[in-house]
Amino acid sequence: MAALLSIQGLSISFGGLTALSDFSLEAPAGAITALIGPNGAGKTTALNCVSGVLKPDAGAVSLDGRPVLGLAGHQLARRGLTRTFQNLQVFGRMSVLENVMVGLHGASRREFGAAMLRLPGVRPEERAIGERAWEVLEFFGLAAQAGQPADQLPYGDQKRVELARALAARPRLMLLDEPVAGLNPAETDALGSLIVKIREQGVGLVLVEHDMSLVMRVSDQVAVLSGGRLIAFGPPSQIQADPEVIRTYLGGGEEFGLVA
Amino acid sequence: MTRPGRTFAAVLAALALALALLPLLVRNPYYLNVLNVVALNVLVVTGLNLLIGYAGQISLGHAAFFGLGAYISGILTATYGWPPWPTMLLAACLVALIAAMIGVPTLKLQGNYLVMATLGFNLIVSVLLVQLDDFTGGPSGLSGIPPLTLFGAALNNDLSFYWLAWGLALLGLLLARNLVHSRVGRGLRALHESPLAAAASGVPIEAYKVKVFVVSAVYASVAGSLYAHYYGIITPKTFDIFKSVELVTMCIVGGMGSLWGSLFGASLLTPLPQLLEVVEEYKDILFGGILLVLLIFLPQGLVGWLEGRRSSSGRAF
């Protein structure tokens, strides 16, 4: 598997606190790479560095072999890297459909002048955006709620809206920051299946998650962070048996009971 | 997407018809004058609403852009004899440039630095309009600005200017509607709600904030140029910081993020000081008070409040 995302020697500290230290990771296309670790291990910080929200002190990040560090969020989106957020970031007062349409922003290009004057080309583009958005809504089972303001949906549905928005523009890589946090077991199960279906489309996924049973069920490879350092990396079965991982993160063996 | 768009077009057409018939009823030039000022305010507030209501960026300096449009047009046509229409275009371009110069550095920063920058800018422009009296005529103003002409006819009375002012106000509304119902409009609303998620979705948030600020400044500039040619005389006081507060109040009264709100807010508040003659002296206090009360009790504005009532009672929305 050729690396779609390659992170090399990423380091960042806030004041005296080292959040990430010499962190390297490769994530292939069409696979789910889970990033786990205790709170404060640097998982979200890593996602924020990759997605252009934070600027690391050192290191390199490349997407498809091209360096992407220092690019702004919207430039990354245009190159096929999208993300969801740990604390839900839907556009609450916009409809579910519009939320997904915003996800297609980078895939379309008519700007202010053309939009105001309704130049030829605006309408076909709008139609294309709309069609793709409906397609994505149907994939996520959100078509019935398309016209509702996003903030009126149940929490679990809002999580799916965010995921739909991130998938809309057919990204190559999606970063998911705790996609099932706050969901009940049934919703977690359903979302897990959706993530697997996204992988089947050839999208590479990096998944930050605390729900170990989900991680072990869907991941192709697992990276374990602790104190900003990578302490283990491998397939789920290997990670579950890793003595250091068990000691620093998983604790006792009871978690494994959840894995079928 | 097409349905709200079509409704808008239908309402706009009905409005245009009503406005076309209105002069048959309103013969009094005083009322026509008020209607003309309303039209100019509608133009400025529509632009301002794109900035405040849709993109969530606040400007307290739009009276300065209004004033720059008026003075650039006024000085170049009255003092140097330039032709009014091309000069109006030039004024709009210069104002766009100035807005970009303010917007680029301040809109990069997180937080509402634009409020402070535009506030400061408005104060500077006010002082310059008074102090550069060789050009501006100082506190007593600039006079002798020629009227606009259209197809050879001078628009030098209230009725002829009425057609032009409302024509352009409706055009401004239509262009704004087109923008709002486009990917750009969605991008603006998205960056208002969550800049982080908007950027991650591909919206160039910094560029969009600057561009919408420039567009709103151009709306103000065009209205300013029209104002100058309509009155023939302009004074600095018309474009001071209190005028900016007034414009923001109109925007908020009508409803942020609602284009009809722009029309509503400007139509409601423009004649208010004239209607309540006792308070005309205290106009600035009146607008400040309205703004304060509204932000506390009706932050979504009148149109937003009405829509909210309708949707909560009907559940059809």
Side-chain angles (χ1 to χ4, degrees):
Chain A
M1 287 190 283
L4 172 65
L5 172 73
S6 166
I7 301 172
Q8 256 131 35
L10 216 54
S11 298
I12 183 170
S13 53
F14 304 105
L17 180 81
T18 304
L20 272 181
S21 142
D22 197 24
F23 171 62
S24 299
L25 181 72
E26 297 209 328
I32 297 172
T33 304
L35 200 52
I36 64 170
N39 286 323
K43 306 180 298 291
T44 296
T45 303
L47 287 199
N48 283 341
C49 287
V50 173
S51 63
V53 175
L54 290 174
K55 197 180 173 315
D57 303 328
V61 178
S62 62
L63 186 69
D64 262 336
R66 293 160 73 195
V68 292
L69 205 59
L71 293 183
H74 72 276
Q75 293 168 317
L76 289 166
R78 271 160 211 229
R79 293 190 185 201
L81 188 157
T82 61
R83 67 170 294 180
T84 66
F85 296 86
Q86 189 177 345
N87 41 353
L88 198 63
Q89 299 277 337
V90 296
F91 308 126
R93 282 173 298 170
M94 297 172 74
S95 75
V96 170
L97 179 67
E98 285 174 323
N99 266 270
V100 179
M101 289 171 96
V102 172
L104 288 156
H105 199 92
S108 47
R109 49 186 42 78
R110 310 284 155 175
E111 290 296 343
F112 282 72
M116 291 180 92
L117 299 172
R118 279 281 146 102
L119 294 184
V122 170
R123 242 171 239 279
E125 191 178 84
E126 272 294 287
R127 205 175 308 123
I129 292 172
E131 276 167 15
R132 171 64 183 158
W134 276 107
E135 199 179 298
V136 176
L137 284 183
E138 265 152 32
F139 179 79
F140 282 91
L142 287 163
Q145 291 100 311
Q148 283 185 42
D151 61 3
Q152 288 183 12
L153 265 55
Y155 183 76
D157 288 354
Q158 292 194 35
K159 280 277 195 187
R160 275 190 292 149
V161 171
E162 211 187 10
L163 208 55
R165 186 179 68 202
L167 183 70
R170 299 190 173 88
R172 320 226 335 104
L173 179 74
M174 284 170 81
L175 312 177
L176 310 182
D177 199 352
E178 301 198 19
V180 302
L183 300 188
N184 66 35
E187 290 173 326
T188 299
D189 225 42
L191 208 93
S193 307
L194 275 174
I195 293 172
V196 170
K197 273 168 83 179
I198 294 172
R199 173 182 61 188
E200 282 163 12
Q201 299 181 358
V203 179
L205 293 118
V206 175
L207 173 69
V208 167
E209 192 45 73
H210 280 297
D211 187 317
M212 275 315 117
S213 70
L214 177 79
V215 166
M216 296 307 169
R217 177 160 74 89
V218 305
S219 307
D220 299 288
Q221 51 181 29
V222 181
V224 188
L225 267 172
S226 179
R229 289 185 315 110
L230 185 72
I231 59 165
F233 179 73
S237 54
Q238 186 188 321
I239 294 301
Q240 288 172 53
D242 189 305
E244 199 186 352
V245 176
I246 294 170
R247 187 162 45 77
T248 59
Y249 182 45
L250 296 178
E254 61 269 30
E255 294 269 0
F256 305 143
L258 295 166
V259 185
Chain B
M1 285 312 85
T2 46
R3 275 193 64 200
R6 282 212 190 114
T7 318
F8 188 100
V11 177
L12 196 70
L15 184 71
L17 189 67
L19 284 166
L21 297 174
L22 201 57
L24 296 176
L25 301 170
V26 182
R27 299 269 179 182
N28 184 329
Y30 173 73
Y31 292 133
L32 275 177
N33 168 261
V34 172
L35 283 169
N36 289 343
V37 179
V38 170
L40 297 182
N41 282 337
V42 167
L43 205 51
V44 186
V45 175
T46 300
L48 199 57
N49 206 344
L50 291 175
L51 179 74
I52 300 180
Y54 288 91
Q57 311 297 314
I58 297 166
S59 162
L60 272 179
H62 263 54
F65 298 126
F66 186 55
L68 282 173
Y71 270 91
I72 294 171
S73 271
I75 292 169
L76 292 179
T77 55
T79 314
Y80 298 96
W82 289 29
W85 287 110
T87 305
M88 188 188 284
L89 202 65
L90 176 76
C93 293
L94 287 175
V95 166
L97 196 69
I98 293 166
M101 279 160 57
I102 298 168
V104 168
T106 45
L107 287 166
K108 264 202 184 117
L109 304 167
Q110 295 202 335
N112 257 321
Y113 289 94
L114 188 66
V115 180
M116 285 176 264
T118 48
L119 183 71
F121 175 68
N122 207 147
L123 292 171
I124 292 167
V125 168
S126 287
V127 170
L128 288 179
L129 292 182
V130 173
Q131 294 300 324
L132 296 174
D133 51 6
D134 285 347
F135 298 100
T136 64
S140 54
L142 179 77
S143 57
I145 305 164
L148 287 160
T149 55
L150 204 58
F151 307 119
L155 308 175
N156 53 3
N157 60 51
D158 292 308
L159 184 62
S160 55
F161 188 79
Y162 172 89
W163 301 116
L164 176 72
W166 276 104
L168 288 175
L170 295 187
L171 179 68
L173 273 168
L174 183 70
L175 295 181
R177 189 285 304 244
N178 287 347
L179 187 71
V180 166
H181 290 287
S182 74
R183 72 186 273 273
V184 178
R186 286 189 298 271
L188 293 173
R189 285 155 68 204
L191 79 84
H192 185 180
E193 295 212 36
S194 166
L196 215 54
S201 304
V203 180
I205 51 174
E206 281 171 17
Y208 267 35
K209 286 194 271 188
V210 173
K211 284 182 187 173
V212 75
F213 181 57
V214 168
V215 167
S216 73
V218 167
Y219 267 81
S221 171
V222 170
S225 296
L226 291 169
Y227 181 93
H229 291 296
Y230 176 44
Y231 279 96
I233 174 164
I234 47 179
T235 56
K237 213 178 98 21
T238 317
F239 312 107
D240 61 10
I241 185 73
F242 294 111
K243 175 71 180 177
S244 285
V245 174
E246 198 179 305
L247 292 166
V248 171
T249 309
M250 287 177 188
C251 187
I252 293 173
V253 164
M256 291 182 281
S258 154
L259 290 175
W260 294 126
S262 313
L263 184 76
F264 200 59
S267 308
L268 203 69
L269 292 195
T270 305
L272 200 62
Q274 278 104 325
L275 289 176
L276 309 168
E277 257 175 71
V278 258
V279 298
E280 190 154 15
E281 287 274 301
Y282 305 100
K283 193 174 77 148
D284 301 331
I285 297 178
L286 176 73
F287 278 112
I290 292 174
L291 188 60
L292 206 62
V293 170
L294 218 76
L295 285 175
I296 295 169
F297 296 106
L298 271 186
Q300 73 276 52
L302 290 174
V303 170
W305 177 68
L306 288 171
E307 278 175 357
R309 274 175 61 106
R310 202 179 57 195
S311 66
S312 63
S313 59
R315 293 245 164 239
F317 188 64

